Amino acid sequence: MDNRRKKKLTFFTIGLIFFLSGVEYAVILPTIWRYLQTLNAAPYFLGLVLSAFSFSGLLSGPLFGHWSDRTGTTKKILLFANLFEIVGNFMYFMEYSKWLLLSSRLVAGIGTGAGSSIFGFLTRITAAEDRATVFAAVMACRQLGLLIGPAFNIFLRLCDFHLGPFVVNKYTAPGLFMCLLWVLLQLAVVFMYWDLPHLERGRVQEGSTSRNREEDSDEAKPLMGSQEAVASNPTGNQSFAASSVMPNHISPPSSPLPSQALESSSPFNNFSISREFLREEVVVLLAAQFITLFNQTALETMVTPLTQKFFGYGELENSVMYSLCGVEVIAGFLFVRWLSCRASDRAVLAVGLTICNIAGVWCLIFLANPLGGFPWQLTEFIIGVFLQVLGLPFVAVAQVSLFSKVTAEKTQGFSQGVRRSVGGLATILGPLWAGGLTENMYIMLGVMAALLALLTKSQGHLTLGLVLDLLSSDEDPMVQALWCGVLWNGLHSLEGDEL
């Protein structure tokens, strides 16, 4: 089988993994509360069960990422992680006690940590200019699962029979259903997934051997666009980087070390967590991950009580609303996938943050205390939710792509695990924050809007700081002018041929 076909099948399998993760969330969430009630669980137990899934994923993500960085492979990791999904969902199906149900979500959550290995793998096999497009497609697969998932409950709710000693009903059927799907995925990984060669190694084999010593010394630097390179090394060798600017704003990757040297040395040699993550651009991107997911999960938590309070919505109306939001998110990811081929990641991030800030202000004004009669209140609610959902794909794709460029490529698995752990923490705290303040909407929405404003200011301050540092440097004026043009181009979404 040729490499091109292997790559297509591997990408298809990755999309299938994220699709099933979205289906699992959408299939289990609608019935888990009533399932707990049949087990005589207290109301607070719902929060524990939902948080348990995110908590175990938060811990397992960096571990799986570290494993993939050390071995350079992901197939074995995926096969191992899927076992947790299979076992966890089967435990969910057993209907023994509320504690077994809690344990089942803890076990299944461990399997989600493999996502960090996948993002690290995608970073190493894709060129920097294609990365945002690939990430957008992968994220859209999960949203597609979230959209289609509720449809499976149409037939799962009709289940009412025994399977040996186990009862299969509308509460336990989702666990058995997802267990079977993860078993099928295990087979797909075995037969349709390959550990593709890393991008640098492939280029070495094609004969790219003529590089000077200055390029060789840049091996440890990640693949990044020209403006991203300034972000991670504003005082570095800008004359060399500027001379290699391409029309799509991506500087070509530096020549890798020979494969034998790569295999004999650990990717974590001379690795420092503080040096890798306590940099301004990395902190801003991690903050973007936390704040967007915190606000998203808080919004998901508060929407149902709001629709019940002001509009009298039931399960059917809320299901329709979530489906429409799913359609909007998928359309947003597809648009971002198209836009990322024509604009820089920083420009996409700026657009997303602008939309999110507008949404935050709108919700603070109109959702905290809806104005007018029923038609006006419904219109205000629809606009607020539409704007909140609209900005998510822009921020999500841009911050993942930028994060892969400003962190070391050789430790991408671990770095992506840290990023996903930050997101997992946000998905735990977001519902707790919103759930405790449903009667104090001004405080809840005000803090959410303030966090977005702070993030936007940090992103703007970072870009402005880069320009000022560049102008105060000793570089040649022509080089300074070129780099300022690149930064300005990134901010205003100009295409590469306009540079």
Side-chain angles (χ1 to χ4, degrees):
M1 187 180 297
D2 61 357
N3 287 333
R4 187 174 182 180
R5 184 172 177 81
K6 286 183 178 180
K7 188 173 184 179
K8 287 184 177 179
L9 290 175
T10 299
F11 279 7
F12 173 79
T13 306
I14 291 174
L16 196 59
I17 292 172
F18 280 87
F19 173 77
L20 289 188
S21 69
V23 170
E24 180 177 4
Y25 183 88
V27 164
I28 288 180
L29 187 64
T31 58
I32 192 171
W33 169 232
R34 292 188 179 273
Y35 190 6
L36 285 169
Q37 287 179 319
T38 64
L39 299 174
N40 299 317
Y44 71 86
F45 222 80
L46 176 62
L48 289 179
V49 172
L50 295 178
S51 298
F53 187 79
S54 299
F55 179 73
S56 55
L58 179 153
L59 298 178
S60 64
L63 297 179
F64 283 131
H66 185 272
W67 183 3
S68 67
D69 289 335
R70 283 199 173 276
T71 62
T73 61
T74 54
K75 184 171 184 176
K76 293 179 180 178
I77 297 173
L78 292 180
L79 292 173
F80 179 70
N82 285 344
L83 292 177
F84 289 96
E85 290 280 9
I86 294 170
V87 173
N89 280 283
F90 188 80
M91 292 169 60
Y92 186 91
F93 158 69
M94 292 172 65
E95 195 183 22
Y96 181 72
S97 71
K98 62 182 181 182
W99 296 106
L100 181 63
L101 188 61
L102 175 63
S103 301
S104 72
R105 302 313 293 159
L106 274 171
V107 173
I110 295 175
T112 63
S116 59
S117 301
I118 294 176
F119 277 109
F121 170 73
L122 291 174
T123 298
R124 288 188 283 262
I125 67 169
T126 56
E129 61 267 30
D130 300 326
R131 208 165 290 162
T133 302
V134 172
F135 289 161
V138 169
M139 292 178 179
C141 288
R142 185 177 188 277
Q143 294 300 324
L144 182 62
L146 290 171
L147 178 62
I148 296 177
F152 291 113
N153 281 323
I154 295 176
F155 69 86
L156 290 177
R157 67 184 180 86
L158 301 177
C159 294
D160 187 15
F161 59 91
H162 284 75
L163 189 64
F166 304 110
V167 177
V168 183
N169 55 37
K170 61 182 179 181
Y171 304 129
T172 61
L176 180 62
F177 177 70
M178 289 310 307
C179 179
L180 294 176
L181 288 183
W182 286 113
V183 169
L184 293 177
L185 179 68
Q186 194 83 330
L187 297 176
V189 173
V190 171
F191 296 108
M192 299 170 57
Y193 186 95
W194 284 268
D195 285 314
L196 302 174
H198 297 175
L199 189 63
E200 297 87 351
R201 294 183 182 182
R203 292 186 178 179
V204 170
Q205 294 170 357
E206 292 173 5
S208 299
T209 58
S210 57
R211 296 285 192 272
N212 56 38
R213 292 183 178 178
E214 185 175 17
E215 292 174 301
D216 290 334
S217 66
D218 288 340
E219 158 59 20
K221 296 181 181 179
L223 293 175
M224 59 182 69
S226 53
Q227 63 267 43
E228 283 81 9
V230 181
S232 62
N233 189 15
T235 59
N237 191 348
Q238 296 164 345
S239 59
F240 165 70
S243 66
S244 62
V245 173
M246 299 172 65
N248 55 6
H249 309 306
I250 305 298
S251 40
S254 52
S255 175
L257 295 173
S259 58
Q260 294 179 350
L262 285 171
E263 294 173 354
S264 62
S265 62
S266 169
F268 289 91
N269 285 345
N270 300 320
F271 177 79
S272 170
I273 292 180
S274 60
R275 188 169 61 246
E276 182 73 4
F277 298 117
L278 296 184
R279 290 182 284 123
E280 187 174 3
E281 62 273 18
V282 177
V283 172
V284 169
L285 292 174
L286 289 177
Q289 169 82 349
F290 179 87
I291 292 172
T292 52
L293 284 178
F294 178 87
N295 285 2
Q296 177 188 351
T297 53
L299 176 67
E300 291 174 353
T301 303
M302 75 174 183
V303 157
T304 305
L306 278 181
T307 57
Q308 183 181 22
K309 178 180 178 180
F310 292 109
F311 313 124
Y313 281 2
E315 293 180 359
L316 177 61
E317 293 85 354
N318 286 326
S319 297
V320 172
M321 178 186 64
Y322 281 120
S323 297
L324 292 176
C325 289
V327 172
E328 181 188 356
V329 169
I330 292 174
F333 275 115
L334 294 177
F335 178 74
V336 172
R337 187 175 187 270
W338 171 84
L339 182 64
S340 62
C341 299
R342 295 161 176 79
S344 68
D345 293 336
R346 291 183 182 276
V348 175
L349 180 61
V351 171
L353 289 177
T354 301
I355 296 173
C356 288
N357 276 281
I358 295 173
V361 174
W362 179 277
C363 291
L364 184 61
I365 296 174
F366 295 106
L367 295 191
N369 185 22
L371 306 176
F374 180 85
W376 282 107
Q377 291 180 358
L378 183 59
T379 302
E380 293 161 1
F381 176 80
I382 291 174
I383 294 175
V385 172
F386 175 82
L387 291 174
Q388 287 278 6
V389 174
L390 180 64
L392 291 177
F394 293 87
V395 179
V397 173
Q399 60 92 4
V400 175
S401 181
L402 282 170
F403 188 82
S404 71
K405 297 172 184 177
V406 300
T407 51
E409 185 176 338
K410 62 182 181 180
T411 55
Q412 271 297 298
F414 179 75
S415 297
Q416 292 291 342
V418 171
R419 182 189 64 80
R420 287 171 63 87
S421 293
V422 171
L425 182 62
T427 59
I428 293 173
L429 297 179
L432 295 176
W433 171 260
L437 291 171
T438 53
E439 300 298 327
N440 297 278
M441 296 294 292
Y442 279 111
I443 297 177
M444 178 174 65
L445 294 173
V447 170
M448 292 166 61
L451 288 174
L452 280 170
L454 180 63
L455 175 61
T456 306
K457 181 180 179 181
S458 299
Q459 194 253 359
H461 172 74
L462 175 60
T463 306
L464 179 61
L466 295 175
V467 175
L468 296 178
D469 287 343
L470 180 60
L471 293 176
S472 63
S473 66
D474 295 330
E475 291 290 349
D476 183 87
M478 290 298 295
V479 175
Q480 293 181 350
L482 176 61
W483 272 112
C484 287
V486 169
L487 288 168
W488 184 263
N489 191 35
L491 285 173
H492 291 275
S493 311
L494 296 179
E495 297 187 12
D497 55 1
E498 296 177 2
L499 180 60

